[in-house]
Amino acid sequence: MLSREENDLLTRTDAGTAAGKYFRRFWLPVLLPTEVPTPDCPPVRVRLLGEDLLAFRDTKGRVGLIDEFCAHRRASLFWGRNEECGLRCVYHGWKFDVNGTCVDMPNEPPEYGFGNKLRTTAYPTREYGGLIWAYMGPPEHEPELPKLEWARVADNQRYISKRFQETNYLQAIEGGIDSSHSNFLHASLDAFRVTDSYVEKVKNSGTLRAKYHLLDKAPRFTVKKTDYGVVIGVRRNAEEDRYYWRLTQFLLPSHTMIPYEKGLAIHGHCWVPRDDQTCWVWTISWNPEAPLSEEEWKTIRDETFVHAQVDPATFRPVRNKANQYLLDREKQRTANMTGIHGFASQDQAIQESMGPVVDRTRERLGTSDTAIIAARRLLLQEIRELGEGREPYTASHGDVYWVRSASLLLKRDVEFDEGARELTKAEV
Ligand code: FES
Ligand SMILES: [Fe+2]
């Protein structure tokens, strides 16, 4: 449970707010490169941290991210012409380059024009790891790009999808690190009921997850603070003297990694505030050792796991709030918990059902919420410290992101972070 003041502090990210200032200390994913594929292609609207911006790729291939509204009389530059290294407003012809400098003001005689001194809001961008990132904070605090493993593998070892979600970023993160929900929200009915035939099936399956995950529904949580955020150890009983551990990573300000099992792809998210009521969900699957396998591509295509199909123009998922996520009550009666297809849509449905900003003054948290409590506490601490003038350590230390999630069996007397030390190092 949080006080109303704490809930507001964590969930409000517009310019000038405390959490807004905090997010503006990090590089944030903003666009897939395919949204601005070629020089002088059409500009695209970008809403981020409550700001309406416009992205365009100029003649030299540089990506600009500027105020959507013209500095002259606030017409939308969405209608503008992207031409010769700048975006020209079609109302009176003022033209802005990727740095936000007004480079042409054709309706003013030269002696009255502001020359090259007039600027509009512009944020630096970088192309990195299959995405375009932006930094919206003070230039003197420009951070390092996070050395995330998925950003450094070859393009054919990675798949990234983007979707629009109608919730504040924080309840999306909370879903991402909430390890106990998958036994319910994402379970088939056989798994939920632990039927004999199900137990027989998983016994013979090769993965740890299938074998142990669903057999212990009340796991124990341990959270440890790290340089990059927190690592969340979730312990389930395995046979004899061992525990099955699943380690989820939460990396500041809003990256998460689902427990990785060696040999399979790793999956992670970055949850970026669009405004206080909506967020962008970036979902990344990567294989650190090899190109994504045909089986991994099939999972992506079939939308069974973390990726969901979206409208390519708006990034709104095909299964969305307006169509009740294509909920099938018959499927819910006979096949799975939700009657909704795919983990991503199940997560989105349940997170959006809580309202755009969940009222955290009315929660009743249990031990299974340990990770959520720790992540909130850490974010609150970081936001408050920045307010007192202390810059976030992670923002200026890109190397600390060089980690993986993990899952493994450990002897019962071994500390999980010690036992998983080698496995949680990224390798690429
Ligand atoms: S409003 Fe853009 S040039 Fe006048
Ligand atoms: Fe989930």
Side-chain angles (χ1 to χ4, degrees):
M1 192 173 121
L2 292 180
S3 69
R4 188 159 305 284
E5 180 245 334
E6 288 169 326
N7 202 27
D8 289 349
L9 187 66
L10 277 171
T11 55
R12 295 188 176 166
T13 60
D14 284 359
T17 62
K21 284 184 186 152
Y22 184 71
F23 269 92
R24 284 169 177 79
R25 288 294 198 270
F26 293 86
W27 285 102
L28 301 173
V30 263
L31 291 170
L32 292 165
T34 48
E35 294 181 72
V36 281
T38 52
D40 296 335
C41 63
V44 291
R45 288 190 169 107
V46 174
R47 188 162 163 78
L48 210 59
L49 303 178
E51 295 186 39
D52 288 311
L53 306 167
L54 202 67
F56 66 103
R57 193 184 287 277
D58 78 359
T59 315
K60 291 186 178 153
R62 300 172 299 185
V63 177
L65 185 65
I66 63 174
D67 185 353
E68 180 188 337
F69 302 101
C70 180
H72 177 216
R73 281 184 24 224
R74 310 292 293 157
S76 173
L77 292 167
F78 177 74
W79 310 107
R81 277 180 58 83
N82 188 4
E83 49 161 51
E84 293 157 45
C85 285
L87 194 63
R88 190 182 292 283
C89 179
V90 291
Y91 203 176
H92 314 95
W94 291 21
K95 178 172 161 179
F96 301 89
D97 70 9
V98 290
N99 302 313
T101 305
C102 183
V103 291
D104 195 17
M105 210 177 269
N107 69 334
E108 290 290 327
E111 62 273 29
Y112 290 105
F114 302 98
N116 278 359
K117 288 195 259 335
L118 186 124
R119 288 175 55 87
T120 189
T121 302
Y123 298 120
T125 64
R126 296 277 185 279
E127 292 195 56
Y128 169 62
L131 287 178
I132 295 168
W133 304 66
Y135 171 64
M136 296 168 67
E140 66 275 21
H141 291 297
E142 189 175 302
E144 289 187 4
L145 282 160
K147 195 178 171 189
L148 289 153
E149 185 177 46
W150 60 256
R152 298 170 66 92
V153 296
D155 287 348
N156 64 2
Q157 291 173 239
R158 165 182 67 216
Y159 175 73
I160 304 178
S161 66
K162 170 185 181 181
R163 65 184 160 86
F164 169 81
Q165 178 160 315
E166 296 176 59
T167 72
N168 183 267
Y169 81 95
L170 186 61
Q171 73 211 54
I173 291 183
E174 290 171 355
I177 57 174
D178 172 14
S179 193
S180 80
H181 80 268
S182 57
N183 279 15
F184 306 96
L185 185 71
H186 302 314
S188 68
L189 283 189
D190 276 353
F192 174 65
R193 291 179 181 140
V194 198
T195 57
D196 290 346
S197 62
Y198 178 78
V199 171
E200 206 43 48
K201 192 172 95 192
V202 294
K203 249 198 216 151
N204 301 321
S205 114
T207 67
L208 294 173
R209 184 177 193 280
K211 208 161 168 194
Y212 301 111
H213 192 63
L214 290 150
L215 301 180
D216 183 351
K217 289 197 170 68
R220 305 298 166 104
F221 285 72
T222 314
V223 179
K224 296 203 178 183
K225 170 92 179 66
T226 64
D227 282 346
Y228 51 82
V230 291
V231 58
I232 299 148
V234 181
R235 192 188 88 189
R236 287 179 169 83
N237 291 322
E239 61 273 299
E240 296 152 20
D241 59 342
R242 295 190 298 175
Y243 290 128
Y244 166 50
W245 283 96
R246 288 169 59 79
L247 273 55
T248 300
Q249 301 283 12
F250 169 58
L251 308 101
L252 293 164
S254 58
H255 300 272
T256 55
M257 291 178 195
I258 300 170
Y260 163 56
E261 187 159 341
K262 205 150 173 63
L264 307 174
I266 314 183
H267 309 280
H269 291 94
C270 183
W271 323 84
V272 180
R274 182 177 175 276
D275 52 32
D276 295 348
Q277 271 77 43
T278 61
C279 66
W280 295 114
V281 182
W282 295 93
T283 306
I284 308 101
S285 298
W286 73 103
N287 186 325
E289 283 151 5
L292 290 176
S293 67
E294 181 43 41
E295 202 179 324
E296 281 151 358
W297 280 113
K298 185 171 172 356
T299 307
I300 292 165
R301 277 195 307 272
D302 293 350
E303 305 174 70
T304 47
F305 195 38
V306 286
H307 298 277
Q309 209 189 330
V310 298
D311 174 330
T314 60
F315 295 94
R316 184 182 292 273
V318 171
R319 285 178 291 278
N320 60 52
K321 195 171 166 182
N323 60 25
Q324 299 194 109
Y325 314 93
L326 305 181
L327 165 65
D328 178 344
R329 292 287 185 191
E330 182 59 17
K331 184 172 172 174
Q332 186 177 37
R333 212 175 57 77
T334 57
N336 73 0
M337 286 292 276
T338 56
I340 295 169
H341 177 73
F343 285 24
S345 299
Q346 293 159 5
D347 282 326
Q348 180 144 3
I350 216 68
Q351 290 164 21
E352 290 180 345
S353 78
M354 300 155 88
V357 185
V358 65
D359 182 356
R360 294 181 176 79
T361 66
R362 302 182 65 185
E363 299 169 326
R364 299 288 297 274
L365 301 181
T367 57
S368 64
D369 301 304
T370 306
I372 289 163
I373 294 166
R376 289 177 187 173
R377 201 173 284 154
L378 176 63
L379 274 169
L380 274 172
Q381 182 190 339
E382 292 265 314
I383 291 166
R384 285 179 175 140
E385 282 179 0
L386 179 62
E388 290 157 7
R390 195 157 142 209
E391 292 296 318
Y393 176 86
T394 38
S396 55
H397 292 80
D399 281 355
V400 299
Y401 291 85
W402 198 229
V403 294
R404 278 182 192 164
S405 52
S407 59
L408 72 168
L409 289 169
L410 285 175
K411 288 251 196 250
R412 294 199 172 194
D413 57 357
V414 176
E415 286 283 310
F416 78 84
D417 51 339
E418 285 300 323
R421 189 167 301 282
E422 284 309 308
L423 273 187
T424 51
K425 276 187 198 149
E427 280 172 15
V428 182

